[in-house]
């Protein structure tokens, strides 16, 4: 921040889509240069104009005060994507905080009087608005003012107030007299003089009616009358702008905010367009050699882009083709591995695919295994520092060592007793890895264990402990002290896992003397046997014993607005703040966090989880949970939160026996359903429910979307695609050392002819897909359309 501030501030940063906050960081205590260091990843569930970041100063007894903001237009996001850079903070002015659009119609006509043609008349019709902001979390009460402004005139008109809506329909027409210039002469066709047109404009302001409070400015748009010069009729949509188009004098230096934004936007075509590319990718596990397959080529070409593997893993996972592909690429890697102790330690296509697979299918597994202990670590915040150099004054190293040992023991026990909860897909992959590793290094009795532990301990559990936020185990990154504790635990778990492969010589992996001494307390035969038993259970056909992990797991909790259920005949059914909690067993809401449940709904009794029309209560971000009794109506804090609540509730209710086929998108009030006008409160729904997906992986995978992402990745790496084609041609012609060996060595080309054939097929389907994209790009789209 700017160095001229007089006092340190406790600050936090929020992320907003237009004016809707979707995330916020933790509060950073008293610093002019806070380092937030937080990552947020989210799907954008609705249209937006700006991605904005606000810095707030935390108020002790008053509301939080905005310090400054950074706003990036949606159309400019691609320019900043993938880059880390500083942005100057801009002032937060109420008159510049706008969003939404307005639909206007303008018409010029000639007013005929008893004495013949009279003055010129301009008719302005305010049709509707869309996407106006929420005011204090509620839909606004908007109205519009319309004015014809120009030299020596400012005629103002006003629409009626529309209650509780962000998409008001006004349908009001206002007339303005346009004065003729003195040079006007009678003509058969009505026209406005050039000099008049240049000077006049229609100004439309949107306001929120404050009732007893001050009205809040929502945005404005200005349209020059000269747009009617050639035609007397004009109808268009206009984005609302800040007051005066945001023109301000140069603000004071408010400081800067460093951001790294990654933004991906794909245009997804109809399913039929993706079949050729999808089929080419899905047959990859059957291609011999595997390096000549389309999926392997994608990994080769996009080697530097770690995120390139994720859409491939999702696609193969959805079609049950992931295990044979992973087996094939792991076998290829093992061929090139010379020593057993380096097995699966690199950042290869095989390890990246298995990493992503574990993140996708192992989410609930991590929740049950690690989250309870991690929550305890965060909540108790006990010191665990055992490095003598880093000890704080007053710290007792023996107490810290005992705290750390207690946490490690709890996590270690939780992991080694969790085999019954390990997802079947992970077990299938581990079984395959174990078999191939034993075959590749038959004289090493431990390699069958290290092949599995290098993934499940080093790349799964240890990484999740070190970075719980990245695995959705905690909402924020830990503070420095807890982060240090997690680092020490993660190191110990890594060593326990690799050392658990029956080798007692792993203590040399600790370069620090204090870690060596600490770890010696775990070097017991029973620890080794626990790890061996666990690895056996998740990677062989041994029957898995029940882990005893029968406790309910908290999947999501947070504050929401809930509509009263209306069990009592007397009393108003209004909205109240409640603490909502979802576990793998039940949905409950509480008056406050930590209080007893006011209502509990068994997850098995949930019959549908669907969006609720905004018109039902004139509120955004609402969803309904239909269960054995009346629907539960809930309003989430923002659009991202609403999607997350619906996703987690849907995951655990998709296989319920009495799920509904149809639902009512609105409410039953006044003796009828507002959506279909059905009279009975038990009338079948009028809209099909969201199609249930297979619940064994609890995943929603849109294959068209994933295939489009793969197409985009291949397209933007066209240069490497061409080099791989050249490499195949060169190797096929010259059977010997290549002059450009350094360039070609980046690619895995075992069979140049087979690889070239696949590249040619990929090139053909990509060209056809690009043609489909070009065909669907609408060249007639223009500003003014919806």
């Amino acid at each position: 921040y700017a160095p001229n501030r007089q006092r340190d501030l406790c600050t936090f940063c929020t992320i907003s889509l237009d004016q809707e906050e979707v995330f916020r960081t933790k509060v950073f205590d008293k610093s002019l240069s806070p380092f937030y260091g937080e990552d947020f990843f989210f799907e954008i569930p609705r249209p937006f104009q700006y991605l904005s970041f606000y810095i707030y100063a935390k108020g002790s007894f008053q509301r939080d005060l905005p310090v400054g903001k950074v706003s990036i237009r949606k159309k400019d996001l691609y320019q900043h994507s993938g880059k880390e850079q500083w942005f100057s903070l801009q002032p937060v002015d109420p008159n510049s905080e706008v969003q939404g659009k307005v639909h206007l119609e303008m018409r010029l006509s000639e007013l005929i009087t008893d004495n013949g043609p009279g003055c010129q008349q301009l008719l302005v019709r305010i049709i509707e608005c869309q996407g106006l902001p929420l005011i204090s979390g509620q839909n606004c009460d908007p109205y519009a003012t319309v004015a014809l402004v120009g030299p020596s005139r400012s005629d103002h008109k006003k629409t009626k107030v529309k209650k509780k809506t962000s998409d008001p329909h006004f349908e009001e027409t206002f007339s303005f007299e346009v004065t003729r210039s003195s040079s006007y002469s009678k003509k058969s066709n009505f026209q406005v003089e050039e000099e008049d047109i240049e000077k006049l404009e229609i100004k439309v302001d949107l306001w929120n009616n404050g009732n007893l409070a001050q009205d809040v400015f929502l945005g404005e748009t200005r349209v020059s009358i000269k747009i009617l010069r050639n035609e007397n009729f004009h109808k268009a949509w206009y984005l609302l702008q800040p007051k005066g188009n945001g023109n301000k004098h140069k603000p004071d230096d408010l400081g800067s905010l460093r951001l790294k934004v990654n933004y991906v936007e794909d245009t997804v075509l109809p399913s039929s367009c993706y079949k050729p590319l999808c089929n080419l990718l899905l047959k990859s596990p059957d291609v011999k050699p595997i390096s000549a397959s389309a999926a392997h080529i994608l990994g080769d070409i996009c080697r530097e882009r770690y995120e390139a593997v994720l859409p491939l893993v999702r696609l193969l996972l959805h079609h049950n083709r992931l295990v044979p592909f992973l087996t094939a690429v792991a076998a290829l890697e093992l061929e090139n591995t010379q020593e057993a102790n380096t097995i699966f330690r690199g950042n290869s296509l095989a390890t990246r695919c298995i990493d992503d697979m574990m993140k996708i299918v192992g989410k609930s597994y991590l929740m049950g295994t690690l989250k309870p202990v991690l929550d305890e670590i965060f909540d108790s915040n006990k010191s665990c520092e055992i490095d003598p150099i880093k000890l704080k004054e007053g710290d007792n190293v023996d107490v810290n060592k005992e705290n750390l040992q207690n946490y490690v023991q709890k996590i270690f026990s939780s992991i080694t007793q969790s085999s019954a909860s390990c997802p079947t897909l992970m077990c299938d992959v581990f079984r395959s890895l174990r078999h191939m590793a034993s075959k590749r290094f038959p004289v090493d009795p431990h390699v069958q264990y290290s092949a599995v532990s290098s993934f499940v301990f080093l790349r799964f559990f240890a990484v999740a402990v070190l970075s719980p936020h990245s695995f959705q185990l905690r909402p924020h990154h830990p503070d420095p002290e807890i982060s240090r504790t997690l680092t020490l635990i993660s190191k110990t778990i890594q060593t326990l896992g690799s050392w658990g492969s029956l080798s007692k010589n792993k203590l040399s992996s600790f370069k620090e003397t204090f870690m060596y001494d600490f770890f010696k307390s775990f070097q017991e035969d029973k620890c080794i046997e626990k790890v061996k038993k666990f690895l056996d259970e998740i990677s062989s056909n041994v029957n898995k014993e029940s882990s005893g992990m029968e406790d309910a797991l908290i999947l999501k909790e947070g504050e929401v607005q809930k509509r009263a259920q209306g069990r009592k005949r007397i009393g108003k059914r209004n909205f109240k703040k409640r603490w909502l909690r979802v576990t793998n067993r039940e949905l409950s809401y509480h008056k406050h966090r930590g209080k007893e449940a006011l209502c509990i709904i068994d997850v098995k009794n949930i019959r549908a989880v669907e969006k609720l029309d905004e018109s039902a209560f004139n509120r955004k971000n609402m969803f309904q949970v239909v269960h054995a009794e009346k629907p539960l109506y809930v309003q989430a804090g923002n659009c991202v939160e609403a999607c997350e609540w619906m996703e987690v509730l849907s995951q655990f209710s998709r296989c319920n026996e009495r799920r509904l086929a149809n639902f009512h998108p609105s409410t039953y009030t006044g003796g009828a359903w507002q959506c279909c006008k059905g009279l009975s409160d038990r009338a079948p729904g009028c809209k099909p429910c969201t199609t249930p997906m297979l619940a064994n992986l609890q995943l929603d995978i849109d294959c068209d979307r994933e295939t489009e992402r793969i197409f985009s990745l291949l397209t933007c790496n066209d240069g490497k695609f061409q080099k791989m084609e050249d490499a195949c041609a060169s190797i096929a012609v010259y059977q010997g050392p290549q002059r450009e060996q350094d360039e070609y060595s980046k690619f895995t080309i075992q069979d140049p002819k087979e690889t070239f054939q696949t590249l040619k097929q990929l090139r053909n389907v990509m060209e056809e897909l690009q043609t489909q994209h070009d065909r669907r790009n609408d060249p007639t789209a223009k500003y003014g359309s919806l």
Side-chain angles (χ1 to χ4, degrees):
Y1 292 110
N4 59 354
R5 290 191 176 271
Q6 296 301 311
R7 60 188 181 85
D8 290 349
L9 299 173
C10 296
T11 61
F12 61 92
C13 180
T14 67
I15 303 174
S16 296
L17 295 173
D18 296 325
Q19 307 307 304
E20 184 180 14
E21 180 187 321
V22 293
F23 287 108
R24 66 168 57 191
T25 66
K26 289 193 296 185
V27 177
F28 201 100
D29 286 340
K30 294 184 178 179
S31 172
L32 294 179
S33 302
F35 179 78
Y36 298 111
E38 297 212 33
D39 306 309
F40 297 96
F41 172 81
F42 60 103
E43 299 284 328
I44 297 175
R46 64 168 181 80
F48 70 104
Q49 295 178 40
Y50 287 93
L51 177 65
S52 299
F53 304 84
Y54 292 81
I55 302 293
Y56 285 91
K58 187 70 178 173
S60 300
F61 302 106
Q62 57 183 359
R63 65 187 182 90
D64 303 327
L65 297 174
V67 175
K69 70 173 181 179
V70 172
S71 290
I72 308 173
R73 282 184 182 272
K74 179 185 175 183
K75 66 184 180 65
D76 298 329
L77 275 170
Y78 77 96
Q79 298 175 9
H80 306 288
S81 183
K83 300 174 186 175
E84 187 175 293
Q85 59 192 108
W86 286 96
F87 294 84
S88 295
L89 290 173
Q90 302 300 316
V92 180
D93 177 1
N95 288 331
S96 69
E97 301 295 287
V98 303
Q99 71 176 64
K101 53 197 170 190
V102 59
H103 197 191
L104 301 178
E105 180 182 296
M106 297 165 57
R107 185 189 302 272
L108 270 175
S109 62
E110 191 170 13
L111 193 60
I112 306 298
T113 65
D114 294 337
N115 300 323
C119 64
Q120 308 162 19
Q121 187 181 55
L122 174 65
L123 298 176
V124 180
R125 179 171 159 234
I126 308 293
I127 304 171
E128 63 177 313
C129 291
Q130 286 190 5
L132 297 181
L134 301 178
I135 303 294
S136 302
Q138 304 275 333
N139 281 335
C140 53
D141 296 335
Y143 69 89
T145 60
V146 189
L148 178 64
V149 295
S152 304
R153 66 180 298 162
S154 183
D155 301 336
H156 285 271
K157 320 270 185 176
K158 178 182 172 182
T159 69
K160 294 176 182 177
V161 175
K162 298 295 180 179
K163 291 288 187 182
K164 301 297 178 193
T165 176
S166 295
D167 302 320
H169 284 257
F170 293 107
E171 291 292 350
E172 293 191 44
T173 302
F174 303 96
S175 61
F176 299 91
E177 292 184 359
V178 182
T179 305
R180 264 197 212 111
S181 67
S182 58
S183 61
Y184 185 83
S185 58
K186 291 184 178 180
K187 298 179 182 177
S188 56
N189 292 327
F190 174 80
Q191 285 185 327
V192 177
E193 290 297 325
E194 186 78 20
E195 51 267 35
D196 291 334
I197 293 177
E198 297 297 332
K199 296 172 184 175
L200 297 174
E201 64 181 7
I202 284 292
K203 178 171 171 280
V204 179
D205 286 7
L206 268 296
W207 297 86
N208 177 61
N209 183 38
N211 292 322
L212 299 177
Q214 186 176 357
D215 291 358
V216 178
F217 175 76
L218 300 178
E220 73 171 24
T221 190
R222 293 169 178 259
V223 185
S224 176
I225 303 300
K226 67 182 180 183
I227 203 165
L228 297 169
R229 186 188 305 146
N230 297 323
E231 294 185 17
N232 291 347
F233 175 81
H234 177 71
K235 185 177 180 180
W237 284 90
Y238 289 90
L239 295 175
L240 293 174
Q241 304 294 333
K243 187 168 282 188
N245 282 327
N247 297 326
K248 303 183 186 71
H249 61 279
K250 191 169 184 233
D252 295 332
D253 184 12
L254 300 174
S256 301
L257 179 65
R258 192 173 76 187
L259 299 170
K260 184 175 182 182
V261 178
N262 287 295
Y263 177 70
V264 174
E265 179 179 329
D266 290 324
T267 302
V268 183
L269 303 175
S271 298
S272 58
C273 300
Y274 296 108
K275 280 185 180 177
L277 178 56
C278 186
N279 290 337
L280 197 57
L281 292 162
L282 292 178
K283 76 174 187 179
S284 294
D286 304 323
V287 175
K288 300 286 191 298
I290 191 64
S291 60
S293 68
H296 197 285
I297 287 170
L298 171 70
D300 251 7
I301 289 175
C302 304
R303 191 185 298 266
E304 287 80 22
R305 300 190 62 167
Y306 191 87
E307 78 278 8
V309 169
L310 183 58
L312 175 65
V313 171
R314 287 179 184 274
L315 187 68
L316 294 172
L317 187 60
H318 184 83
H319 291 278
N320 296 318
R321 300 290 284 155
L322 183 60
V323 174
F325 178 72
L326 290 178
T327 301
V329 291
L332 176 60
E333 181 171 338
L334 281 170
E335 284 179 26
N336 299 318
T337 303
Q338 303 305 317
E339 297 181 18
N341 60 1
T342 62
I343 193 168
F344 298 126
R345 293 299 174 93
N347 188 23
S348 64
L349 178 61
T351 57
R352 284 156 60 197
C353 285
I354 295 172
D355 284 351
D356 280 337
M357 177 274 294
M358 292 191 297
K359 279 186 180 179
I360 294 170
V361 305
K363 186 176 177 181
S364 296
Y365 181 37
L366 282 177
M367 281 270 187
T369 310
L370 297 183
K371 196 174 189 306
V373 188
L374 288 173
D375 287 343
E376 182 186 340
I377 293 169
F378 276 76
D379 295 339
S380 61
N381 200 12
K382 293 178 181 176
S383 177
C384 295
E385 185 55 73
I386 58 175
D387 184 352
I389 300 173
K390 295 183 179 180
L391 284 174
K392 294 181 182 177
E393 189 175 347
D395 271 1
N396 185 318
V397 68
D398 291 329
V399 173
N400 290 1
K401 186 175 180 181
E402 188 179 338
N403 292 338
L404 182 61
Q405 193 166 6
N406 181 42
Y407 288 147
V408 171
Q409 195 62 56
K410 283 184 177 180
I411 288 181
F412 177 71
S413 297
S414 183
I415 291 172
T416 54
Q417 293 173 19
S418 69
S419 61
S421 304
C422 187
T424 305
L425 187 76
M426 287 174 62
C427 294
D428 290 344
V429 172
F430 294 153
R431 189 179 302 118
S432 179
L433 294 176
R434 179 176 177 166
H435 173 73
M436 289 188 295
S438 298
K439 192 175 179 181
R440 175 71 177 86
F441 299 101
V443 295
D444 190 327
H446 304 317
V447 73
Q448 58 175 317
Y449 295 105
S450 59
V452 178
S453 67
S454 62
F455 285 105
V456 74
F457 277 100
L458 274 66
R459 293 175 173 268
F460 188 57
F461 286 121
V463 179
V465 168
L466 190 62
S467 183
H469 173 261
S470 302
F471 290 80
Q472 292 84 50
L473 297 174
R474 293 291 301 182
H476 296 287
H477 283 304
D479 60 37
E481 191 167 332
I482 293 178
S483 181
R484 173 65 178 161
T485 298
L486 297 180
T487 300
L488 294 171
I489 295 172
S490 180
K491 275 187 177 182
T492 312
I493 293 298
Q494 282 188 50
T495 311
L496 277 170
S498 56
W499 163 74
S501 59
L502 308 188
S503 169
K504 293 189 178 183
N505 302 318
K506 296 292 182 180
L507 289 177
S508 59
S509 63
F510 287 122
K511 297 175 183 177
E512 310 97 329
T513 307
F514 65 89
M515 283 300 293
Y516 181 92
D517 294 337
F518 170 72
F519 192 77
K520 282 197 294 187
S521 60
F522 292 96
Q523 193 179 6
E524 301 173 359
D525 287 341
K526 63 180 181 180
C527 282
I528 297 174
E529 288 306 312
K530 283 182 181 179
V531 175
K532 180 186 175 186
K533 182 173 181 290
F534 170 68
L535 295 174
D536 279 336
E537 288 171 345
I538 64 171
S539 62
S540 67
N541 293 319
V542 176
N543 290 329
K544 295 190 283 187
E545 297 177 9
S546 174
S547 62
M549 292 176 56
E550 308 298 334
D551 295 337
L553 306 174
I554 298 175
L555 305 170
K556 184 173 176 61
E557 57 181 342
E559 192 173 79
V560 298
Q561 292 276 346
K562 183 198 74 69
R563 187 174 189 248
Q565 293 284 79
R567 290 191 180 86
K568 298 177 183 177
R569 291 186 177 273
I570 302 174
K572 185 179 179 183
R573 291 205 279 174
N574 53 4
F575 282 83
K576 293 182 179 179
K577 283 185 181 179
R578 290 290 181 258
W579 188 262
L580 194 66
R581 173 180 287 177
V582 182
T583 72
N584 54 336
R585 292 180 178 179
E586 60 193 28
L587 166 68
S588 60
Y589 58 82
H590 315 246
K591 193 166 187 178
H592 302 289
R593 185 177 190 176
K595 298 289 185 182
E596 288 187 11
L598 299 175
C599 177
I600 296 175
I601 300 170
D602 194 319
V603 168
K604 292 180 181 178
N605 292 333
I606 293 177
R607 305 176 69 184
V609 181
E610 300 288 347
K611 285 183 179 179
L612 193 69
D613 283 352
E614 181 185 332
S615 59
F617 298 107
N618 284 324
R619 289 175 177 239
K620 285 180 178 285
N621 307 321
M622 288 204 65
F623 63 93
Q624 56 179 316
V625 181
V626 184
H627 56 107
E629 298 181 23
K630 296 182 179 179
L632 176 68
Y633 297 122
V634 180
Q635 183 185 26
N638 56 61
C639 55
V640 175
E641 278 282 306
C643 288
E644 289 178 354
W645 280 115
M646 291 177 63
E647 181 184 6
V648 75
L649 283 165
S650 297
Q651 283 178 358
F652 284 88
S653 63
R654 281 192 180 121
C655 288
N656 289 351
E657 292 181 0
R658 300 182 64 195
R659 275 193 65 88
L660 296 177
N662 299 289
F663 75 105
H664 291 284
S666 194
T667 56
Y668 184 80
T669 52
W673 288 100
Q674 299 306 301
C675 42
C676 60
K677 306 306 176 187
L679 299 179
S680 170
D681 61 347
R682 298 185 179 277
C686 56
K687 186 176 180 181
C689 286
T690 307
T691 305
M693 303 290 289
L694 292 173
N696 58 339
L697 296 176
Q698 293 161 1
L699 290 172
D700 279 327
I701 295 178
D702 184 336
C703 292
D704 296 339
R705 177 177 162 176
E706 304 303 339
T707 312
E708 171 61 32
R709 184 88 285 268
I710 291 169
F711 165 70
S712 297
L713 287 163
L714 289 170
T715 302
C716 68
N717 283 276
D718 188 66
K720 291 181 181 177
F721 198 101
Q722 185 61 55
K723 284 179 181 176
M724 195 169 190
E725 286 182 326
D726 295 342
C728 289
S730 178
I731 293 169
V733 173
Y734 304 103
Q735 299 297 327
Q738 305 301 312
R739 287 176 296 175
E740 299 179 63
Q741 189 64 38
D742 290 342
E743 184 68 39
Y744 292 167
S745 64
K746 294 178 182 177
F747 306 121
T748 306
I749 303 174
Q750 294 173 288
D751 186 331
K753 289 185 179 179
E754 190 70 30
T755 304
F756 188 81
Q757 186 65 29
T758 306
L759 285 166
K760 189 176 177 183
Q761 291 175 321
L762 271 173
R763 179 75 76 182
N764 290 338
V765 298
M766 284 166 61
E767 286 175 355
E768 178 57 31
L769 253 179
Q770 188 59 55
T771 302
Q772 297 285 353
H773 272 286
D774 295 341
R775 223 176 262 163
R776 284 171 171 79
N777 286 339
D778 184 4
T780 61
K782 60 181 180 179
Y783 187 80
S785 64
L786 178 58

